[in-house]
Each structure stands twice: as C-alpha cells, then as structure tokens.
C-alpha cells in the first residue's frame, strides 16, 4: 500500500503479528480466534482473486508481512459480516492502493484495510448479530404484527428464534411499503421470484459447488453473489424502463 496510508499503531488498534514475515501456517494461527473456519485454501483463493499479494521466497514459498495479515482480516470481516462480493471489496482496496480516497462501501463505511482496530471489529461484528422478533420490530420501526405477517408469508425466517441483518432490511422496506398501502400478503410474488432466481443461480454454480475443496466452495459462493447482483440489476432496469413510460 502507498506510504500515504501508513499502518497506525494507536490505542485500541489490534496488535498485529510479530515483526518479520510469516508463513501460511503462522497466518492461520494469527487469524484463528477471529476466523476459525479460514483455511490455507481460502487464503490462496483470495490471492488468486488479487485481494492479497504476499511476497515469495526464491523457492516459491509465500511470506506474509504484517500488512498482509491486516488486509486479510479486513477482507474476511467484510465477507462475513457485510456479505459483500469480493469484487466490491477488491475495487475498494485497489483504490486505496492507488492512493485514492474511494467512495464509501455499502452501508456508508469508509475503512482502510491496513487499520483494523478493536472498534472496527465490534462494528463489523454488529452486522452479524441475531435479533429477536421484538428487537427486529423495534429497530425496523415496525409493529410486531408486521413482523408476524412477514414470517407468515415467508418473507423473513427465524433461525433458532433469531433474525439476521437481511431480515432487518426486509422489514424496514416493508414498513415503508405499508405506508403506500402495500401489505405483506401483496408481496408473496417477491418471495416466489427470489426462490426462482436462487434456483437459477444454484444450477449455474452446481458444478463448482459440488467439489469438496474449500477454494471451490468459496469460488461458487462468490459466483453466486455476482450472478445475484446481475439479476437484481436486470430486474431494476426492467421495472424502471416501464416506469419511465409513465412520463411519455
């Protein structure tokens, strides 16, 4: 990364790995507490996608500096807690690498990948929290009745009586739609359309997803995200093209 983005070592910044360079096994031990599911294959997959660029020894072994580990923490946290596609994360860190000040990430976050503090870790973890029905209703500004209706019509689903961040986004949208007279029972076609889209995506990625190795599974998940984003863009364009005709 450019000199204009030095790694800050201030109060509250998580301690990095020891000075010097690490091999991939040592990197996994550094990340184990925060990301216990990460494997060497996953790290190599992120390298293949250009998200990290460790140096190599003459014998070809990877060696990871402190900033490589911090960058890995950043990428893995955004994937886990913000559900961001790797392409979005890569565009952001590439802009920082060029010395630019990129626009904020989805959700308004503006972060430098070499600075991963305890506060940032807490902020990112908050996006992975699980909400009770009461908390979901309170944070979405929704009556409890609406939450129950959304569950009844299959628009949100609880796992172990807890809802995720996606359920919160859906509920917030439905609160506003209800202000236009659109009730959950009117939104069942959206659930059906989402299921059809998911079926299409699963068929496309099935050959890769069926492989046993972690890198293939990660690649399948990333491809699924990219196809989903394209489908959403297509849907939006089709709807807007019809709305535009209202003015003509």
């Amino acid at each position: 990364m450019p000199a204009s983005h030095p790694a800050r070592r201030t109060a509250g910044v998580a301690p990095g790995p020891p000075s010097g360079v690490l091999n991939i096994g040592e990197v996994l031990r550094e990340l184990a507490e925060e990301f216990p599911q990460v494997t060497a294959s996953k790290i190599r997959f992120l390298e293949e996608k250009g998200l990290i660029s460790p140096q190599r020894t003459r014998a070809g072994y990877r060696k990871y500096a402190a900033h490589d580990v911090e960058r890995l923490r950043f990428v893995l946290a955004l994937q886990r807690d913000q559900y961001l596609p790797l392409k979005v994360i890569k565009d952001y860190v590439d802009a920082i690498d060029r010395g630019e000040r990129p626009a904020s990430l989805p959700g308004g976050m503006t972060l430098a990948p070499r600075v991963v503090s305890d506060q940032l870790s807490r902020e990112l973890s908050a996006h992975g929290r699980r909400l009770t029905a009461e908390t979901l209703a309170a944070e979405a500004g929704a009556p409890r009745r609406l939450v129950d209706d959304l569950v009844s019509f299959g628009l949100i689903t609880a796992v172990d009586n807890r809802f995720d961040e996606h359920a919160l986004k859906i509920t917030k949208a439905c609160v506003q739609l209800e202000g236009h007279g659109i009730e959950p029972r009117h939104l069942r076609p959206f659930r059906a359309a989402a299921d059809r889209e998911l079926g299409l995506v699963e068929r496309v990625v099935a050959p890769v997803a069926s492989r046993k190795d972690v890198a293939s599974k990660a690649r399948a998940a990333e491809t699924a995200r990219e196809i989903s984003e394209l489908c959403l863009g297509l849907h939006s364009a089709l709807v807007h093209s019809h709305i535009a005709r209202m003015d003509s």
Side-chain angles (χ1 to χ4, degrees):
M1 287 197 174
S4 59
H5 291 275
R8 287 176 281 178
R9 295 289 177 232
T10 58
V13 176
S19 58
V21 294
L22 306 178
N23 61 37
I24 197 165
E26 292 168 329
V27 170
L28 288 171
R29 285 194 290 274
E30 284 289 328
L31 299 173
E33 183 175 350
E34 295 173 77
F35 307 99
Q37 303 302 320
V38 173
T39 64
S41 295
K42 171 72 172 182
I43 293 175
R44 285 192 287 267
F45 173 68
L46 293 175
E47 180 184 350
E48 177 185 319
K49 288 294 186 179
L51 283 149
I52 55 171
S53 300
Q55 299 297 312
R56 297 274 187 143
T57 65
R58 289 184 178 179
Y61 295 108
R62 298 170 176 84
K63 51 183 184 179
Y64 299 83
H67 64 82
D68 293 317
V69 179
E70 293 298 316
R71 186 168 175 132
L72 269 171
R73 281 196 177 98
F74 177 81
V75 171
L76 292 168
L78 287 179
Q79 264 202 306
R80 180 193 64 194
D81 302 325
Q82 291 268 326
Y83 311 102
L84 294 178
L86 287 180
K87 183 179 185 304
V88 173
I89 301 173
K90 185 176 187 302
D91 288 345
Y92 188 83
V93 295
D94 283 351
I96 292 175
D97 287 345
R98 294 192 297 268
E100 300 174 6
R101 293 182 177 274
S104 63
L105 287 161
M109 301 181 74
T110 53
L111 308 169
R114 288 182 61 182
V115 182
V116 182
S117 65
D118 291 335
Q119 179 181 356
L120 169 58
S121 179
R122 288 192 297 271
E123 289 173 354
L124 291 173
S125 295
H127 290 273
R129 63 204 168 101
R130 315 298 287 184
L131 307 171
T132 64
E134 291 75 14
T135 304
L136 174 64
E139 294 204 13
R144 176 57 192 271
R145 165 197 53 78
L146 178 61
V147 171
D148 292 340
D149 286 347
L150 293 175
V151 172
S152 175
F153 289 110
L155 292 164
I156 59 174
T157 303
V159 177
D160 296 328
N161 295 318
R162 292 292 188 273
F163 297 90
D164 61 15
E165 200 73 14
H166 296 294
L168 178 58
K169 291 178 181 178
I170 292 168
T171 305
K172 285 181 175 179
C174 289
V175 167
Q176 297 188 47
L177 287 169
E178 198 169 52
H180 294 281
I182 301 174
E183 301 174 7
R185 61 190 176 88
H186 300 135
L187 300 174
R188 283 179 292 185
F190 285 83
R191 174 76 270 172
D195 289 341
R196 287 195 298 271
E197 179 186 321
L198 180 60
L200 174 63
V201 172
E202 287 178 336
R203 286 197 296 275
V204 172
V205 303
V208 178
S210 62
R211 298 173 189 168
K212 300 293 185 181
D213 61 290
V214 174
S216 292
K217 291 183 180 300
R219 192 174 295 110
E222 180 58 23
T223 301
R225 291 188 187 97
E226 291 177 1
I227 295 172
S228 177
E229 289 296 322
L230 290 170
C231 289
L232 289 172
L234 173 60
H235 174 83
S236 179
L238 289 169
V239 172
H240 287 148
S241 69
H242 285 282
I243 291 174
R245 295 171 192 164
M246 294 180 179
D247 293 330
S248 58

